[in-house]
Each structure stands twice: as C-alpha cells, then as structure tokens.
Amino acid sequence: MATATATAAIVALLLGLSGWRGAARDILPPGPVDAAVGKNVTLATLLQNPEYSFIIWNFNDGREQTHVATAGRAGIRVNEPYAGRASVDATSGALRLSALTTDDSGDFSVSVVSADGETEIAEIQLRVLEPVSGVLVSADAAEAVEHNSTLVLTCAANGSFLRFTWLNETRPVVASDSERLSVEESEASSRLTIAGVLRTDLARPIFCSAANQLETEKSAPFTLPVHYGPDEVTVTASDPSRFVRADSDFNLTCATRSSPAAAFTWYQNETLMDSAGPVLPLEAVRRRPLWREMSRYTCRAANAETERVVASPAVSFAVVDGPEAATVNGESAVELRDAVTLRCTAASVPPANFTWKFNGTLTDVKTPTYAIAEAVYKNTGAYTCQARNVVTGKNVSSTHNLSVKEEGALDEGLSDGAIAGIIIGILAALGVAIGVVVYCRQKVPVESPY
C-alpha cells in the first residue's frame, strides 16, 4: 500500500512538473497576489475539505519549474530549497511562504490528484514587492523661458511594480489635458515632457507619487523658475490732469508682470531720458529742455532673460508754471487819429488769460493785444495788463502809459548832430567870407579923396 502511495505521488509530481493540465474547476482565486519583501504570504485555495491523494505545489520563475511541497496521506514534504520557509495546510491545500524575497516572484501552480489518479491543476501569480523609497523629481534644465523652452522632468524611485502619478500641487497632471504634455513610463521611472512651457505649468510645486499594491510615497516639492514677460505695460499718473503744477509731487508709475522683474526706461517724445526705474518723478521731467511744453511720456520694460522689450501707451501732460513777469510793448506817445497797438506778454503754462484796465477801470478787452483804430485825446492814460494762470491761480500785471498829442506835435526836427553840423558849416562859411574881404582890401589901391 505504501508503495502504491509513493508511486502515485511520483506520478502526480511528474505530471505537475510537466505542466499537464486536466479538466479544471475553480481551485485558486484570481491573481495576482502581492506581498512585501521579508513578509509572509498564504496562497489560499478554493477547496473545502477536498478528498485527494496528493496536493502538489510547484513554482515557475519563467526559466524553470521547481517543486515546492507535497501534501499526502503520509504527511507534508517540503523540497530542500523551501525548507523552513514553506508549509501546506493539509485541510485546504493552501501554501504558506515566509521570509519572502524578490526571487519568489513568479507563477505558483497547484496539482490536486484524486484517489483514482485524476489531476486538476491551477496557477496563480505571486508578486513580491520591494517597498517604495527614494522618490525624486529632477529636470534637464535649471530654468525655463515661457513659450521658448521645452522641459523634461524625471521621477525616479526604488521599488517593485511601480506606478507613477504627476501632480501640480494637488491636481493630477494628465498628458491628455494638453498637446504640450506627454508622459513616458518605464519600470523604475516616469518622464514628463512640457513643450512650450507656460508660467502656469510651474506656478505651483510639482510632485511625483510612486506606488505599488502595498504602499505609496510622494516626492519632495519640485520648483523651477520660469522666466516670462514683460506683459502689457501700463503707466499711471499720480494726478490724472493734463496740467501739472511745477511745485507739486507729481510722478508717473510704470508697471508690468515680469519674471525676473523688468528694468524700466523713460522716454519724452521718443527721446531717452536720464531717469530709470518704475517711477518717473517730476524733478526728472524738469531737467529736460522745454519741460513746460505738452509732451508724450512712455515707459519701456525690458526682461534680460526673455530678451523682450515692451513699451507702454503714451501719457501726455507740459508742466503748469507761471505766469512769469508781464510786459507791455507799444507806443508811448501818438498823434490824433494814429493807430495804437499794445501787446502784453507773460510766460505761462497753460497760456495765461488776459484782462486790461484803463486808468484803473476794467475794460472788455480779454486778449493779449489792446488795439485802438484812431487815437483821440481821451485815450491818454495808464493801460494795465493782467495775466492769470487759471491752474496755478497766479496773477501778474504791467502798466503802460500812453499820451495822445495834436497832429504834427511829434514831427521829428533836426537831430542835435545835424544842428551842430549846420552851425559849424555856417561858421566856416562866415570865416571864409571875412577872409576874402580882408584880402581884397589889401590888394586894391584906394584913391585919396584929396
């Protein structure tokens, strides 16, 4: 009897080693079964109090098949390579393995041999997993330029049967979200390629998660600078008025989004100014020639990393000042019916408003010129011009005196020089005449009356 039993066991073993398959029922649950290195695992069966002559477990690592253990009426026998690590439950036929190593990963088959020699065989995969560790994200560049750079991020980790997930802070990065994104997977790493990098791609930390069936580990946050901009450049005035008081603290401020921060330069009517930085103070404007005049001011923002330069829209304003001292130019004296034109000037920005007074009485004239078509005696008097800057509120005035005289009163006589010349000429002629007379008297004999 013992000989027959041993013979049956050998036959069943040979059948199992040969990979023979008989009509099968559900002997094992679906796999794979995952377990950690150094831990224990039980490969359970679906058998309930089976009647069998032998239950035989074999292992195939993809290269060769090895006998693990056999359970029979004579007891349980464990093959030498698994001695001390393997056991079979005689009731259910389950195989228990301890102190697992990665070499235990493979296909385990169980052969159930009935008393009449019929054999049923089933397989299940065991995956012995190394723990996940050392999850690290690296990049192929230290920085990127928006729209210009293509960036490759690599996530590497230790462990078995790893799956990788990329996270933009907490949101999963899915390659199908954009034509710019692609992911390549390998057994121990994952590569995320970002073409035409945008600032939003790395605005938040990037994480990589590596996992297998047993555990998950997350990388440290990964950040990388993305240089961008300047974006649209704006200029804001501290006072929106087109007229700025010369003694105010007025300034223009230039702003834009840029990484790194943009460098700013200022232009007056397209001419570079000697002022740099985001703020243009009025003091810098007053150093310019013709600073009082209405001018166009623009700001240009430059990013040395992206090599982009963007100009702002122009802001126009000629600094309010004056009026300076007023001056009236015109005739001081005229004759009756002469035309008179008095002109008042006063440097002012914006241009001054003018009013005229005659002998202290306000007139209706509100232009820089006071005109009289034909002068009469009553036009004689004091003409006062007042210049007012409505923005600064400053007033200046100047008075001019006009005298109206009768016709011919202003005819110009001979000048002093001409008069002196005439007198000298007369005296010279007189001298010549006297000399001639004296000479003649000396030459002509005079008859004696006697």
Side-chain angles (χ1 to χ4, degrees):
M1 185 66 178
T3 302
T5 301
T7 301
I10 293 172
V11 172
L13 175 60
L14 291 175
L15 289 173
L17 292 173
S18 67
W20 182 87
R21 301 289 186 271
R25 52 182 169 148
D26 290 334
I27 299 175
L28 295 175
V33 174
D34 292 327
V37 169
K39 302 296 184 179
N40 304 329
V41 69
T42 297
L43 302 180
T45 70
L46 300 177
L47 301 174
Q48 296 181 354
N49 298 319
E51 294 184 2
Y52 62 88
S53 294
F54 301 99
I55 293 181
I56 305 166
W57 283 95
N58 294 313
F59 170 68
N60 191 327
D61 62 2
R63 298 185 300 273
E64 60 181 355
Q65 185 164 278
T66 305
H67 176 227
V68 179
T70 299
R73 294 189 180 91
I76 297 173
R77 297 182 59 187
V78 177
N79 196 17
E80 183 61 29
Y82 293 91
R85 289 203 311 123
S87 63
V88 178
D89 187 315
T91 301
S92 66
L95 173 66
R96 176 179 173 81
L97 294 173
S98 61
L100 292 173
T101 68
T102 55
D103 291 337
D104 292 321
S105 294
D107 296 325
F108 283 82
S109 63
V110 60
S111 300
V112 181
V113 183
S114 64
D116 58 5
E118 182 179 351
T119 302
E120 296 178 289
I121 300 176
E123 280 187 352
I124 192 168
Q125 182 186 17
L126 173 64
R127 301 191 300 189
V128 180
L129 309 181
E130 291 184 357
V132 182
S133 63
V135 184
L136 179 66
V137 176
S138 60
D140 65 341
E143 56 190 18
V145 175
E146 188 175 43
H147 304 301
N148 294 346
S149 297
T150 294
L151 187 65
V152 179
L153 303 182
T154 300
C155 178
N158 299 318
S160 302
F161 303 100
L162 297 176
R163 302 183 309 278
F164 294 92
T165 302
W166 290 94
L167 301 170
N168 191 330
E169 196 166 53
T170 58
R171 179 180 177 272
V173 176
V174 182
S176 60
D177 284 352
S178 169
E179 295 181 356
R180 300 183 305 106
L181 306 179
S182 61
V183 176
E184 297 179 33
E185 302 283 357
S186 65
E187 184 176 346
S189 66
S190 175
R191 286 167 40 121
L192 172 63
T193 300
I194 308 174
V197 174
L198 302 178
R199 70 192 73 174
T200 53
D201 293 330
L202 297 166
R204 296 174 293 182
I206 296 292
F207 294 88
C208 174
S209 174
N212 56 27
Q213 292 296 103
L214 300 179
E215 58 186 352
T216 300
E217 184 173 307
K218 193 175 181 182
S219 71
F222 176 84
T223 58
L224 183 141
V226 176
H227 304 307
Y228 60 85
D231 291 346
E232 179 183 8
V233 180
T234 61
V235 174
T236 304
S238 59
D239 182 347
S241 173
R242 288 170 58 85
F243 298 105
V244 178
R245 293 179 61 95
D247 58 354
S248 70
D249 57 357
F250 175 85
N251 63 66
L252 297 178
T253 301
C254 190
T256 186
R257 290 187 298 272
S258 177
S259 176
F264 298 99
T265 51
W266 292 91
Y267 292 78
Q268 180 192 46
N269 299 329
E270 304 303 322
T271 300
L272 180 65
M273 303 178 65
D274 60 353
S275 182
V279 178
L280 178 68
L282 185 57
E283 177 185 357
V285 174
R286 295 185 63 176
R287 292 197 296 265
R288 300 290 299 171
L290 306 177
W291 59 274
R292 291 187 179 90
E293 295 184 0
M294 182 70 71
S295 298
R296 299 169 65 252
Y297 295 87
T298 56
C299 166
R300 295 183 188 178
N303 185 323
E305 296 293 339
T306 65
E307 299 181 347
R308 293 188 65 200
V309 179
V310 180
S312 72
V315 174
S316 299
F317 66 88
V319 176
V320 173
D321 193 30
E324 310 253 340
T327 302
V328 178
N329 295 311
E331 301 86 346
S332 298
V334 296
E335 295 180 358
L336 283 171
R337 289 189 293 276
D338 282 351
V340 179
T341 301
L342 304 179
R343 291 181 177 85
C344 185
T345 59
S348 176
V349 180
N353 294 337
F354 295 93
T355 57
W356 290 85
K357 291 181 180 180
F358 175 59
N359 292 333
T361 301
L362 185 65
T363 70
D364 294 332
V365 179
K366 299 184 183 301
T367 62
T369 301
Y370 193 110
I372 302 172
E374 292 186 355
V376 296
Y377 288 122
K378 67 178 182 180
N379 294 136
T380 297
Y383 291 81
T384 301
C385 165
Q386 183 181 71
R388 174 178 173 80
N389 186 320
V390 295
V391 178
T392 65
K394 184 178 177 182
N395 297 288
V396 293
S397 63
S398 178
T399 300
H400 180 82
N401 293 313
L402 176 67
S403 176
V404 180
K405 301 181 180 296
E406 63 183 8
E407 293 183 19
L410 298 181
D411 286 346
E412 293 185 358
L414 295 175
S415 65
D416 292 342
I419 294 172
I422 292 172
I423 293 173
I424 292 172
I426 293 172
L427 291 175
L430 182 59
V432 171
I434 293 172
V436 170
V437 171
V438 172
Y439 176 79
C440 290
R441 284 183 176 181
Q442 291 176 351
K443 295 296 183 180
V444 178
V446 179
E447 294 181 0
S448 172
Y450 303 103

